Amino acid sequence: MTSTKHKEMAEWYQRAQEEILDSMDEELEMELDDARLSPDGGSGSVIPRQVYFKELFRLQGELVKLQDWVVENKLKVAVLFEGRDSAGKGGAIKRITQRLNPRVCKVVALTAPSEREKTQWYFQRYISNLPAGGEIVLFDRSWYNRAGVEKVMGFCTDDEYEEFLRTVPDLERMMINSGIILIKYWFSISDDEQYNRFMMRIHDPLKQWKLSPMDLDARRHWEAYTKAKETMLERTNIPEAPWWVVAANDKKKARLNCITHLLDQIPYKEINHPEITLPARVHNPDYLRGPVPRNMYVPEVY
């Protein structure tokens, strides 16, 4: 290898290392954001920070392999994330999707139904978001809204609620028979932990948007939500699509445990990709690059 080539490779290796550090900084920013107003500075997890990051990055590497396997084999994967407000569903979803292709791994977080959607078959707007071949869809809350929020807050009738519990097992069996891999997670936190997280959000101007009037009202109905959850788990925990409960008082443990379990649910192998060779750039001697006016540039404040 010539000295010029050796120097070029060394430069690219340095750039690659910098990219890895940038990736770590991105995760660190998310962690620091989580910890900004935490009474203990975010050190409440029993998992040391160094161990957490090491395991998270390793698991995210495995998620990339799983993604390749899903695409290669045209698998259809739907993962449901349910739980009380502030239970950590969103944080787990962020860590799962952080290194994945958004065209393959999609997040569905539906808003309240429109007037038109209220007249549709209840499951209709969820069914339209189910994965096609080669896709992973993560539902940040799902059709189980009817078994929780809608039941407790009176947004559905008793007959609609009973009809949901009666029909959803059959619907999920139909999904599975069609080839969909359906995985259901319930993130479980204690009464005290939810209180602490709500109080941190109330005093955090960057996170107050996460607390809707519905969330605050739900706090009053802790026991009603507990009863609704118990009924939901009892009547919809079917062998074909069981519920998996994630202990979520410790956010870091919950994320690592959830990702590890998710990877275990889908047997996958690493896909061998052909070696990538960057083609040489074509240089046209007649091409002249025109100047870009300075006033078109974003001001360099930093």
Side-chain angles (χ1 to χ4, degrees):
M1 182 182 295
T2 64
S3 60
T4 302
K5 190 67 173 179
H6 182 80
K7 181 180 178 182
E8 183 178 297
M9 292 297 293
E11 290 175 351
W12 279 112
Y13 177 78
Q14 178 65 29
R15 287 288 301 276
Q17 293 298 107
E18 291 171 359
E19 286 292 323
I20 292 173
L21 290 175
D22 284 345
S23 180
M24 294 175 68
D25 285 345
E26 180 182 356
E27 174 60 26
L28 182 59
E29 286 170 11
M30 294 170 67
E31 286 302 308
L32 291 175
D33 183 62
D34 280 347
R36 274 184 307 114
L37 293 184
S38 177
D40 57 8
S43 60
S45 176
V46 300
I47 301 179
R49 181 180 293 274
Q50 184 177 4
V51 174
Y52 169 71
F53 282 130
K54 180 179 179 181
E55 282 302 293
L56 180 65
F57 294 139
R58 181 185 68 81
L59 291 170
Q60 288 178 332
E62 292 300 312
L63 285 170
V64 172
K65 297 176 186 177
L66 173 61
Q67 172 185 253
D68 290 346
W69 183 260
V70 167
V71 172
E72 179 75 14
N73 293 278
K74 296 291 188 289
L75 299 183
K76 298 177 286 186
V77 181
V79 188
L80 313 188
F81 292 82
E82 295 289 344
R84 298 179 189 272
D85 297 308
S86 79
K89 303 179 296 296
I93 291 171
K94 281 181 182 178
R95 273 66 181 190
I96 291 171
T97 61
Q98 197 171 2
R99 317 294 175 192
L100 301 184
N101 183 345
R103 295 180 180 84
V104 175
C105 185
K106 306 174 182 179
V107 178
V108 173
L110 299 183
T111 58
S114 65
E115 289 303 314
R116 178 176 180 274
E117 288 171 331
K118 289 178 182 178
T119 68
Q120 296 175 341
W121 176 44
Y122 173 72
F123 295 102
Q124 191 165 333
R125 69 192 192 123
Y126 295 103
I127 296 298
S128 64
N129 284 286
L130 288 173
E135 291 181 351
I136 302 170
V137 175
L138 310 180
F139 285 89
D140 187 353
R141 296 196 183 277
S142 66
W143 45 89
Y144 281 99
N145 268 342
R146 175 139 295 179
V149 174
E150 293 193 15
K151 166 62 176 174
V152 174
M153 305 306 291
F155 295 154
C156 66
T157 66
D158 289 342
D159 287 343
E160 289 171 333
Y161 172 69
E162 283 298 325
E163 176 69 6
F164 171 85
L165 292 177
R166 185 183 66 81
T167 59
V168 72
D170 289 334
L171 178 67
E172 291 179 355
R173 290 188 184 99
M174 291 173 63
M175 293 179 191
I176 293 164
N177 290 338
S178 75
I180 292 175
I181 299 171
L182 180 61
I183 304 168
K184 304 186 299 192
Y185 289 115
W186 174 270
F187 279 65
S188 178
I189 58 170
S190 67
D191 188 352
D192 289 342
E193 183 61 21
Q194 187 190 51
Y195 172 81
N196 290 333
R197 292 183 188 181
F198 271 19
M199 291 303 293
M200 283 189 281
R201 289 182 179 182
I202 287 173
H203 293 92
D204 187 346
L206 300 184
K207 290 188 177 180
Q208 286 179 0
W209 64 268
K210 291 186 175 184
L211 282 177
S212 68
M214 183 74 63
D215 297 334
L216 296 174
D217 200 27
R219 176 66 189 164
R220 295 193 303 111
H221 298 281
W222 174 274
E223 293 180 1
Y225 270 100
T226 299
K227 184 177 180 180
K229 176 203 71 174
E230 292 170 348
T231 300
M232 180 192 77
L233 295 181
E234 177 185 353
R235 296 184 59 178
T236 64
N237 184 47
I238 59 176
E240 299 88 344
W243 278 101
W244 300 100
V245 178
V246 180
N249 274 359
D250 186 320
K251 291 181 179 181
K252 290 183 172 65
K253 283 181 62 178
R255 294 165 192 161
L256 298 182
N257 288 332
C258 182
I259 296 173
T260 299
H261 185 270
L262 176 60
L263 290 166
D264 287 342
Q265 301 313 296
I266 307 170
Y268 67 95
K269 297 179 182 178
E270 186 171 0
I271 300 296
N272 293 321
H273 297 287
E275 184 177 349
I276 299 174
T277 302
L278 188 66
R281 175 173 151 359
V282 175
H283 291 270
N284 187 337
D286 297 326
Y287 169 72
L288 293 176
R289 180 179 178 181
V292 178
R294 289 298 305 169
N295 61 5
M296 291 182 65
Y297 280 93
V298 171
E300 293 189 7
V301 179
Y302 301 98

